[in-house]
Amino acid sequence: MLIRFKKSMEKIAMGLLSFMPEEKDVKKLQQTMKAYEENDAWQLYLWKEEEDVLGAIGIYIDEPSQKVVVQHISVNPSHRDLGIGHKMIDAVRSSYQDNYQVKPNDLTEDFLKKCE
């Protein structure tokens, strides 16, 4: 189930995002988290199954072009290859399908192609 990020889940979200190669640097990761907290167009969601948070997906909502850009997607390494990333993409597509196209950025392009 896709749940909206809350400040109380910051350590979990940072841990998941840190699995992305571009977010390994702590300062970069802190900047990314700050952007998700302060910018209304940036939305961070976590994937929860039972009581475990297993993944994170971050999007940018581009209102003028009516696109939702997947900026970050990460799954706990011990839960990879179980379809969680696909489930997160499907959930985002379902949530925004009426008004927006879901598109990748350079970092997420290869993964989103696999989800088609």
Side-chain angles (χ1 to χ4, degrees):
M1 165 176 49
L2 207 57
I3 57 171
R4 183 87 184 264
F5 165 78
K6 296 178 202 148
K7 184 75 171 163
S8 63
M9 302 171 152
E10 185 173 42
K11 288 182 182 178
I12 294 168
M14 287 179 75
L16 287 164
L17 290 178
S18 73
F19 293 126
M20 293 188 69
E22 299 76 17
E23 298 294 332
K24 291 276 186 216
D25 178 66
V26 175
K27 287 197 186 300
K28 170 74 170 99
L29 182 57
Q30 289 171 333
Q31 289 172 343
T32 299
M33 290 304 299
K34 187 174 182 180
Y36 280 117
E37 291 172 22
E38 295 178 356
N39 187 338
D40 289 338
W42 285 47
Q43 301 291 318
L44 184 61
Y45 295 92
L46 302 176
W47 186 262
K48 190 173 183 179
E49 290 186 0
E50 296 177 16
E51 296 303 312
D52 298 322
V53 177
L54 305 176
I57 186 167
I59 61 173
Y60 167 71
I61 301 170
D62 186 353
E63 293 281 349
S65 68
Q66 294 202 297
K67 291 181 185 170
V68 170
V69 180
V70 178
Q71 303 183 116
H72 298 95
I73 187 163
S74 179
V75 175
N76 181 318
S78 62
H79 291 88
R80 289 187 181 161
D81 299 320
L82 300 174
I84 294 168
H86 284 78
K87 289 178 188 176
M88 288 192 291
I89 295 296
D90 289 346
V92 167
R93 285 182 174 146
S94 293
S95 296
Y96 291 94
Q97 71 182 355
D98 292 338
N99 300 315
Y100 297 90
Q101 278 189 300
V102 176
K103 297 289 185 183
N105 68 5
D106 292 342
L107 302 175
T108 62
E109 186 171 19
D110 289 342
F111 185 76
L112 260 71
K113 282 182 183 176
K114 291 179 191 176
C115 294
E116 292 179 355

